[in-house]
Amino acid sequence: MGIDPISSFQKTCTFDCIYCQSGRTEVFSCEREVFVPTDEVIRELRSVPDVAVDYITFAGNGEPTLAKNLGEMIRAVRMVRSEKIAVITNASLIDRKDVQQDLLLADRVEAKLDAASPDSFKKVNRPMFDVIFENILQGLSGFRKIYKGQLVIQAMFTAANKAEAPRIAAMALEIRPDEIEINTPLRVSPAKPLPPEDIAEITAIFRKACGDRIKVRSVYEAKLEESRPFSRPATERRRGKENL
Ligand code: SF4
């Protein structure tokens, strides 16, 4: 079950990834702010029908760590729900201590790594100019040292970065995550997905690099889960119909 801590009509992010399934970034920002008051999230969460949920996941229309109240929201969700909590982040702010403190509260953190050099980072993730690739790598390594939960590196592959797979695998290995997920955009996206044979080749590169130490999952080996809003009118009100 997803919670969108940005919940805005306009996608608010530090990146403008070439494959973003939410379209182009409309608001670029590195400033953390409160987009949705915590009590509003909790009120909506209390109204969710009683369905089986494995994880409550913070993700959404932009970068969730931009929400200044992310840590407060995680704490508040724990008071009303017993499921594990995950955050899906692009890792652009993970070198910041306040962001690390918030992410430490989650049971699982899934962090993006799609590039092996500052040049390809700019080409694939199209970050704001003040987001520095090396800071992300240092931030991820620093966070790994203090984080006891499950750290997952998510790498999205398209034609733009498939040649970099061996170098991305080496960098991911250095971070020492618990898992690595190999993705390609299978939902509606401005970038074409790679075919299964390319993803199988990339997955084999990662598996060879990681051995038994790190579990490597591939998007074509996983069942594609459908997602739907609990309250379509509420989601439409927040995001506009085109994002549903
Ligand atoms: S980080 Fe996520 S939300 Fe931001 S542009 Fe990339 S894919 Fe889209």
Side-chain angles (χ1 to χ4, degrees), residues 17-37:
C17 302
I18 55 169
Y19 54 78
C20 185
Q21 293 159 356
S22 303
R24 297 301 302 259
T25 298
E26 291 149 302
V27 180
F28 277 104
S29 176
C30 278
E31 291 300 315
R32 301 190 83 198
E33 57 182 290
V34 174
F35 295 89
V36 194

Side-chain angles (χ1 to χ4, degrees), residues 23 50 91 101-102 121 146 153 170 188 224-225:
D50 190 19
Q101 287 306 313
D102 285 356
F121 174 55
I146 56 172
I153 295 293
V188 178
L224 190 61
E225 304 283 354

Side-chain angles (χ1 to χ4, degrees), residues 12-197:
T12 305
C13 198
T14 48
F15 289 180
D16 185 19
C17 302
I18 55 169
Y19 54 78
C20 185
Q21 293 159 356
S22 303
R24 297 301 302 259
T25 298
E26 291 149 302
V27 180
F28 277 104
S29 176
C30 278
E31 291 300 315
R32 301 190 83 198
E33 57 182 290
V34 174
F35 295 89
V36 194
T38 302
D39 54 358
E40 206 174 295
V41 170
I42 298 304
R43 201 174 326 119
E44 198 164 323
L45 196 54
R46 284 185 195 277
S47 71
V48 165
D50 190 19
V51 291
V53 168
D54 18 83
Y55 265 90
I56 293 180
T57 301
F58 285 86
N61 202 23
E63 169 49 30
T65 62
L66 282 171
K68 201 175 177 177
N69 55 338
L70 179 64
E72 185 185 88
M73 281 190 272
I74 294 174
R75 282 198 186 90
V77 169
R78 286 213 191 280
M79 305 289 283
V80 296
R81 303 284 305 204
S82 57
E83 294 90 350
K84 289 189 171 176
I85 296 177
V87 180
I88 300 180
T89 173
N90 67 13
S92 56
L93 306 178
I94 203 161
D95 57 323
R96 288 177 52 153
K97 290 284 170 262
D98 57 335
V99 171
Q100 291 191 356
Q101 287 306 313
D102 285 356
L103 292 175
L104 284 174
L105 300 169
D107 300 291
R108 181 178 171 97
V109 172
E110 302 192 8
K112 184 183 293 300
L113 182 67
D114 300 334
S117 69
D119 281 349
S120 66
F121 174 55
K122 282 184 190 142
K123 197 166 106 192
V124 174
N125 299 117
R126 297 188 296 205
M128 292 176 66
F129 72 94
D130 40 3
V131 178
I132 310 295
F133 182 63
E134 289 80 0
N135 291 355
I136 293 179
L137 292 179
Q138 280 174 17
L140 283 166
S141 296
F143 181 65
R144 170 73 290 180
K145 286 188 186 118
I146 56 172
Y147 183 56
K148 303 285 180 251
Q150 270 205 313
L151 179 63
V152 180
I153 295 293
Q154 289 188 329
M156 181 73 90
F157 283 96
T158 63
N161 62 347
K162 77 172 185 184
E164 284 204 304
R167 290 173 62 211
I168 298 174
M171 283 178 170
L173 189 59
E174 270 186 40
I175 295 163
R176 294 187 296 107
D178 299 286
E179 276 179 33
I180 297 175
E181 284 181 9
I182 309 296
N183 289 324
T184 197
L186 293 186
R187 296 200 174 105
V188 178
S189 162
K192 272 195 193 160
L194 291 176
E197 54 275 20

